[in-house]
Amino acid sequence: MITTLSQAPDSIVLEPGQSLRTCVDAGTWLQVAEGRVRVVSPPGWFGGTVFMSETVLDEGDVHRIEHGGWIEVAALTPVHLRVHVPAVSLAPASACSEARPVMRFVRLLTGW
């Protein structure tokens, strides 16, 4: 089963076989508190070719997402994952979501 969220939660709990697709900003850190996961990076360009890299993370591992976009997290064992979003400059609450480049892009695509 794959769940899709437009914004990553602070904490993710998945059972083996479950996957989560979510949108993250560049500089987001994933910390595996428990279990083992496979993370598929956002699509990128290399020599005119689109590619996505896969990384397997074990308990205690930390992984930084270099480029913002959609990632997929697949549980290989029961997983508890923490998501640490990059700090944004202080702005009025209404401008918070607009300060995140990925969320601006999602708004353009979805029209909300």
Side-chain angles (χ1 to χ4, degrees):
M1 172 166 69
I2 299 176
T3 302
T4 302
L5 299 174
S6 62
Q7 185 175 353
D10 294 338
S11 183
I12 299 168
V13 176
L14 298 171
E15 293 299 321
Q18 289 183 317
S19 294
L20 172 71
R21 286 188 189 133
T22 189
C23 193
V24 296
D25 289 324
T28 297
W29 290 85
L30 304 177
Q31 176 186 12
V32 183
E34 178 184 327
R36 188 170 194 211
V37 297
R38 178 179 48 87
V39 179
V40 179
S41 71
W45 289 95
F46 184 74
T49 304
V50 175
F51 75 97
M52 294 182 289
S53 63
E54 292 185 11
T55 305
V56 175
L57 303 172
D58 292 309
E59 190 170 317
D61 287 348
V62 176
H63 179 69
R64 184 174 188 262
I65 307 296
E66 295 293 326
H67 305 286
W70 290 89
I71 63 169
E72 181 176 325
V73 178
L76 303 175
T77 64
V79 170
H80 180 208
L81 186 73
R82 292 190 181 105
V83 180
H84 304 278
V85 296
V88 293
S89 61
L90 294 176
S94 62
C96 260
S97 62
E98 294 304 318
R100 301 180 59 212
V102 171
M103 290 312 295
R104 283 196 312 265
F105 183 66
V106 169
R107 284 187 191 280
L108 287 172
L109 289 177
T110 60
W112 55 271

